[in-house]
């Protein structure tokens, strides 16, 4: 088992083809009562935005609009399945299956249904502000090493987040 995001479909499909093994996909299990299964994680490894100092923000916006369009997604998914932004709630499975493997189409369709049903959360690398995310990683290691308590860790995490929230560094969460 190798927990991965949809970005790994391209290289995992090729790797499994070389080994003769069959690639499969399953959602991560719920880790506590009250959390529906399956729950999907939403996040990306980077953000695309328009610099406030751009000399041509309208052209940049038009380009971003095209990059997030169904037409662009249909073209790019043929060569880079899963390595591109997925439509979160409006997947046309029949149309998708013309471009990608049935496994990928089924995975994306299930993901889309989970998002439509509200069964999703956010990844730390996309939605925490920078200092808070850094402390999330560094601080927990200090807990594991017995150098600080869980209460100290959580308090520092809260303080760091509150400072970044006040400074406007917290990325906005998409509305539910």
């Amino acid at each position: 088992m190798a927990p991965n995001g949809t970005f790994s479909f391209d290289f995992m499909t090729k790797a499994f083809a070389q080994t003769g093994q069959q690639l499969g996909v399953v959602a991560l299990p719920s880790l506590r009562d009250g959390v529906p299964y399956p729950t999907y994680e939403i996040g990306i490894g980077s953000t695309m935005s328009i610099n406030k100092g751009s000399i041509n923000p309208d052209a940049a916006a038009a380009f971003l609009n095209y990059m997030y369009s169904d037409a662009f997604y249909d073209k790019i998914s043929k060569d880079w399945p899963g390595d591109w932004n997925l439509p979160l709630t409006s997947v046309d499975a029949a149309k998708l299956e013309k471009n990608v493997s049935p496994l990928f189409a089924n995975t994306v369709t299930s993901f889309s249904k989970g998002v439509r049903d509200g069964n999703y959360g956010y990844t730390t690398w996309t939605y925490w502000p920078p200092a808070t995310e850094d402390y999330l990683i560094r601080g927990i290691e200090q807990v594991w090493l017995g150098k600080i308590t869980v209460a100290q860790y959580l308090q520092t995490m809260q303080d760091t987040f509150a400072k970044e929230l006040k400074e406007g560094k917290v990325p906005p969460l998409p509305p539910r």
Side-chain angles (χ1 to χ4, degrees), residues 12-105:
M12 293 294 276
T13 302
K14 291 173 185 171
F16 272 75
Q18 292 173 354
T19 65
Q21 298 178 44
Q22 184 175 354
L23 177 63
V25 175
V26 64
L28 292 173
S30 299
L31 300 177
R32 66 179 168 84
D33 291 339
V35 176
Y37 177 83
T39 297
Y40 296 91
E41 298 81 27
I42 296 176
I44 57 174
S46 62
T47 59
M48 295 183 195
S49 52
I50 302 169
N51 185 303
K52 70 179 179 181
S54 172
I55 60 171
N56 201 340
D58 291 337
F63 176 75
L64 288 176
N65 284 339
Y66 172 70
M67 265 185 19
Y68 287 99
S69 71
D70 287 342
F72 183 80
Y73 182 75
D74 290 345
K75 291 176 187 174
I76 198 96
S77 66
K78 291 177 187 177
D79 295 320
W80 284 356
D83 202 19
W84 200 248
N85 302 300
L86 302 171
L88 295 179
T89 57
S90 61
V91 172
D92 182 339
K95 185 176 169 186
L96 188 62
E97 285 178 5
K98 293 177 184 175
N99 294 332
V100 299
S101 71
L103 178 62
F104 180 74

Side-chain angles (χ1 to χ4, degrees), residues 99-123:
N99 294 332
V100 299
S101 71
L103 178 62
F104 180 74
N106 183 46
T107 301
V108 172
T109 303
S110 297
F111 178 85
S112 179
K113 181 183 181 318
V115 171
R116 266 195 324 273
D117 293 347
N119 296 343
Y120 64 92
Y122 303 104
T123 59

